[in-house]
Amino acid sequence: MTTQQYDYIVIGSGIAGLYSALLAVEFGSVLILTKGGIADCNTQYAQGGIAAAVGPEDSPNYHFADTLAAGAGLCNEEAARILAEQGPQAISELVRLGVIFDTADGEVALGREAAHRMPRVLHAGGDATGARIELTLSSLAHHSRIHVQEYTTTSRLLVEGGRVVGVAGLVNGEGDEVEYLATHTILATGGAGRLYRYTTNPEVTTGDGVALAYQAGAAVMDMEFYQFHPTALRLPGAPPFLITEAMRGEGAVLRNAHGEAFMTGYHPQGDLAPRDVVSRSLLTEMRRTGAGNVVLDATHMPSERLAARFPSIYNFCLTHGLDITRDPIPVSPAAHYMMGGVLTNTDGETTLPGLYACGEVACTGLHGANRLASNSLLETVVFGQRVVRRSLEGGWSGPWPEGVFPLEAEPSEEAGAPSIEGLQALNWSNVGIIRSREGLEEAAGVFAAWEASAPEGGDRGDRELANMVTLGRLMAESALVRQESRGAHFRTDFPETSEAWLRHTVFMKQAD
Ligand code: FAD
Ligand code: SIN
């Protein structure tokens, strides 16, 4: 076991990891560990864009209010205020680093997405915003004091005397663990879409960061809130692929199997209703009509404009035999974004000194019960900057949860052996868009049994499965604890929102 020492270790090479690393390198040496190639991350696939109150009619107050409304009462208002107010500055930062946002008539072009009161979403390359950001930041990471180590899976956080002092990793995802030490460790491992059978996320999204932090003793929060995007492509033979909400913002319409535009019957904002509402409405329509999908119809839009505004979607669909200028796009909901995560304060400090979290893996409570579209890319820049600034100040003032819940499920005797496919199917059916006590209890029992029987160690695949089991259990038990419906969390046995549940769910290993 060799050991290397750095000022900062950043785990993950999406926007949160790369941006934090580029700031941190001004103050010390940086190691970026990433388990795939540098661009294997959610960031690479972001389409719609990045929200910020930069338009002439807009204001941070409006952005703040829309964030709170989408979050269904549970947003951390301090975090939402910081995000909205520092949003325009964060955009300037990305421009300074070389990101070129699209313009129209000499002004920055702003797209419209669900639950935003006005067009507010900057985009790049039409629907290639994430890819453009990832390319720009990763090219800057070729720096003499940043060492980017690809194909290295972080397998453990190293804790000494209650402080995180580094990480252990598997080079090429296998073999003996190598230790890397650092003064500051920044978790930027992204989300966990791969826990579900249907997802918009790429393969690396197995929730490792939350599992690693939880196993090391950090608090995790709001794991019941998982966002399902209503419009993932459902085309036989095509891999997971998102059809951006911005397309509805430009006038595309959801239709059921009878060709009827149905969303205005469900919500006054129609096709641009909050994501959780649209996803549940789609499921209802699919069940009502007996169809496996609905369609997104953009055929009434001028063909040239459609292809120019959404080139990635246009080309992807065309290579799979679908011309979106002529044919409606088959879509259905898929797991998309993890609102919960490792509990942090608004400086990215976790409950473990030495460990920061930033990006989709972190949970300041900013998104509450449901994230406002295109707030996540912005979050990484605004809070990444705060993480690095805080690391320079010394001391530790991390958050402390007001109360924690115990994990209670008894291991099921009928769980069988764990497998990724089994886990994805179970999570999709029992911890998905529509939940019930019965289904959640069954899932929690199976996860508890799988956790009890999981072998220690192993290669990247073994570690990912173990991490997914840990997350599955946390999600199922959080969802069981929350006896109400709010935002992305909907329970048939508690269909109403309850004042009594205006609180967060926190789990912490030592507390068990
Ligand atoms: P990621 O970009 O996912 O990066 C995580 C990194 O951690 C990866 O490099 C991964 O390999 C690495 N990693 C994970 N585990 C380990 C481990 N054990 N060891 C080492 N490395 C590890 N948000 C918006 O705001 N606007 C959008 O338009 C938008 N569109 C989206 C479209 C799609 C299809 C998807 C999937 C998401 C979209 N989102 C959008 C959400 C947004 O892209 C993500 O929330 C954001 O990119 C997360 O950035 P991140 O850096 O936190 O994580
Ligand atoms: C989309 O483009 O529809 C996704 C935007 C987001 O997830 O924020």
Side-chain angles (χ1 to χ4, degrees), residues 47-48 113 229 242-246 275 336 371 373-376:
Q47 292 183 357
E113 290 185 41
H229 198 295
L242 180 75
I243 307 296
T244 178
E245 205 160 70
R275 244 172 230 184
H336 184 62
R371 176 181 62 101
S374 289
N375 263 358
S376 40

Side-chain angles (χ1 to χ4, degrees), residues 6 21 46 49 133 151 156 209 356 459 463 466 483 497:
Y6 296 84
I133 292 176
Y151 304 101
R156 235 166 3 104
Y356 299 85
D459 63 11
R463 311 280 179 144
Q483 296 189 342
T497 301

Side-chain angles (χ1 to χ4, degrees), residues 453-470:
S453 66
E456 298 225 330
D459 63 11
R460 169 177 162 179
D462 299 323
R463 311 280 179 144
E464 286 179 335
L465 181 56
N467 290 338
M468 290 163 87
V469 168
T470 300

Side-chain angles (χ1 to χ4, degrees), residues 149-423:
Q149 195 166 314
E150 296 176 296
Y151 304 101
T152 301
T153 304
T154 300
S155 47
R156 235 166 3 104
L157 298 178
L158 304 176
V159 184
E160 269 178 32
R163 183 179 177 87
V164 172
V165 294
V167 309
L170 302 176
V171 179
N172 292 322
E174 58 190 19
D176 294 333
E177 285 183 329
V178 177
E179 291 192 350
Y180 307 89
L181 303 182
T183 314
H184 310 286
T185 299
I186 303 175
L187 261 188
T189 48
R194 283 287 150 171
L195 262 87
Y196 287 95
R197 180 169 175 194
Y198 299 107
T199 179
T200 61
N201 291 193
E203 282 187 358
V204 290
T205 57
T206 51
D208 297 1
V210 174
L212 295 176
Y214 176 75
Q215 299 297 1
V220 303
M221 187 164 94
D222 290 351
M223 292 300 292
E224 67 275 33
F225 295 121
Y226 205 94
Q227 184 172 76
F228 294 83
H229 198 295
T231 57
L233 182 66
R234 190 58 84 79
L235 208 54
F241 190 76
L242 180 75
I243 307 296
T244 178
E245 205 160 70
M247 201 178 270
R248 275 175 281 143
E250 296 279 348
V253 176
L254 286 162
R255 297 186 188 281
N256 65 18
H258 305 310
E260 298 155 348
F262 56 86
M263 269 315 300
T264 45
Y266 286 94
H267 195 278
Q269 286 172 286
D271 286 291
L272 289 177
R275 244 172 230 184
D276 57 311
V277 176
V278 183
S279 286
R280 283 194 296 276
S281 308
L282 256 68
L283 276 198
T284 308
E285 287 297 310
M286 284 156 60
R287 282 181 189 160
R288 198 173 66 75
T289 60
N293 59 272
V294 298
V295 294
L296 184 67
D297 187 359
T299 54
H300 55 285
M301 293 167 65
S303 308
E304 276 179 19
R305 193 173 127 238
L306 188 60
R309 173 69 179 87
F310 303 107
S312 314
I313 294 175
Y314 174 74
N315 288 318
F316 184 91
C317 288
L318 210 53
T319 55
H320 289 88
L322 184 81
D323 181 349
I324 65 169
T325 65
R326 291 201 299 198
D327 298 313
I329 311 166
V331 292
S332 62
H336 184 62
Y337 184 85
M338 180 171 73
M339 266 83 69
V342 181
L343 171 62
T344 70
N345 60 17
T346 54
D347 288 326
E349 291 171 296
T350 70
T351 55
L352 286 181
L355 181 69
Y356 299 85
C358 181
E360 193 167 337
V361 68
C363 183
T364 54
L366 162 67
H367 307 298
N370 190 28
R371 176 181 62 101
L372 184 67
S374 289
N375 263 358
S376 40
L377 291 175
L378 184 67
E379 173 188 18
T380 62
V381 179
V382 168
F383 292 93
Q385 185 261 334
R386 294 173 70 87
V387 164
V388 175
R389 195 205 60 202
R390 181 71 189 94
S391 73
L392 302 173
E393 293 170 352
W396 195 258
S397 50
W400 200 249
E402 282 169 19
V404 296
F405 290 93
L407 289 178
E408 289 188 326
E410 291 297 324
S412 159
E413 286 173 10
E414 290 146 28
S419 70
I420 290 196
E421 294 74 22
L423 181 145

Side-chain angles (χ1 to χ4, degrees), residues 439-457:
L440 291 170
E441 279 179 353
E442 183 195 359
V446 170
F447 288 129
W450 286 350
E451 204 169 42
S453 66
E456 298 225 330

